[in-house]
Amino acid sequence: KFDKILYPIAEQVIDDSQLSHVKFEAFFENNLFYEIADGLKINMTLNNQGSVKDALKDSYNTINAMKADVLRILFLTKVDEMGMHDDKELMDNYVTFVCDIFRSVRFGTGHYQGEGNMVTFNHFVEKGAITLNEETGKYKIDFDKMKAALEELANTILVMECDGNYEAAQEIISEKGKLPESLVKALETISKAGIP
């Protein structure tokens, strides 16, 4: 998946100056921490609205997939801050994570994972954590803005789940769950490159 799909996608969409940050070890860590984040669920709301799943209704799968996606990188950020990330660069995890969004969003926003990825991607763009170079059609990640955007989105998701706030879930999906034109172009580039 890394050698045949992710790295070739990175070559198409990640700024050349940051391509060296797309690494298998970061991809492996990101996926490992996804499983940890996915397993840590908030089951019940904190305001007596019953289960989070029931409270968020048809938004639950998208919000829960987003939670695992965002928390995995936030967990790695915290591990790094605690000095437990050995001599690895957290930027490797950030750039590889963004590249992985391009891989998984190809499944479409009709699937909850793709829809969640779009919300995450659009949030990062809005916060300046990801910027597009119009000339090259490639994206660059801002380390500090990414860190702040991750914390903000993680907080939004967790509060939403704890409150069982269906309206907030619907609003964020409606506002940020769409494929922007710039990303459509990037996906066309990936498709033309014949990447499986």
Side-chain angles (χ1 to χ4, degrees):
K1 194 180 277 189
F2 180 84
D3 292 336
K4 303 288 185 190
I5 302 173
L6 191 79
Y7 196 81
I9 287 175
E11 291 177 310
Q12 301 297 320
V13 298
I14 298 296
D15 190 87
D16 293 347
S17 67
Q18 294 187 337
L19 203 50
S20 63
H21 288 292
V22 181
K23 295 181 178 171
F24 172 77
E25 190 167 11
F27 180 63
F28 180 82
E29 284 180 341
N30 291 355
N31 281 290
L32 177 65
F33 274 75
Y34 177 91
E35 297 304 328
I36 294 168
D38 190 43
L40 295 171
K41 290 188 175 20
I42 301 169
N43 289 318
M44 302 301 289
T45 60
L46 298 181
N47 52 7
N48 299 317
Q49 288 199 63
S51 74
V52 173
K53 190 170 188 174
D54 288 344
L56 295 186
K57 305 173 192 170
D58 55 322
S59 300
Y60 175 77
N61 286 336
T62 298
I63 298 301
N64 199 54
M66 267 173 49
K67 180 221 41 154
D69 260 339
V70 172
L71 286 189
R72 66 170 157 175
I73 305 301
L74 187 60
F75 287 168
L76 278 161
T77 301
K78 297 303 176 187
V79 166
D80 186 78
E81 287 172 359
M82 291 187 289
M84 297 170 63
H85 202 215
D86 299 319
D87 297 326
K88 299 172 197 142
E89 284 189 68
L90 188 58
M91 189 66 167
D92 294 349
N93 298 93
Y94 286 1
V95 178
T96 303
F97 169 59
V98 170
C99 186
D100 202 27
I101 291 175
F102 287 97
R103 180 193 63 79
S104 59
V105 83
R106 295 185 303 162
F107 300 120
T109 55
H111 186 269
Y112 65 85
Q113 188 83 43
E115 191 171 55
N117 275 325
M118 275 327 334
V119 174
T120 302
F121 180 85
N122 286 323
H123 176 78
F124 290 159
V125 169
E126 182 186 300
K127 298 300 174 182
I130 305 172
T131 52
L132 172 65
N133 181 326
E134 298 282 354
E135 287 181 27
T136 64
K138 294 185 176 185
Y139 290 82
K140 197 169 189 178
I141 290 83
D142 181 297
F143 182 84
D144 293 326
K145 288 180 180 177
M146 175 63 79
K147 204 171 179 181
L150 276 168
E151 293 202 6
E152 183 183 347
L153 187 55
N155 183 71
T156 297
I157 294 165
L158 293 175
V159 169
M160 193 184 301
E161 288 197 337
C162 287
D163 290 345
N165 193 334
Y166 178 70
E167 291 73 23
Q170 286 283 287
E171 186 178 336
I172 198 169
I173 292 168
S174 172
E175 284 181 7
K176 298 182 182 179
K178 308 288 185 284
L179 208 62
E181 188 56 39
S182 59
L183 192 53
V184 171
K185 289 178 184 174
L187 294 176
E188 284 171 0
T189 302
I190 293 166
S191 180
K192 284 175 189 171
I195 299 166

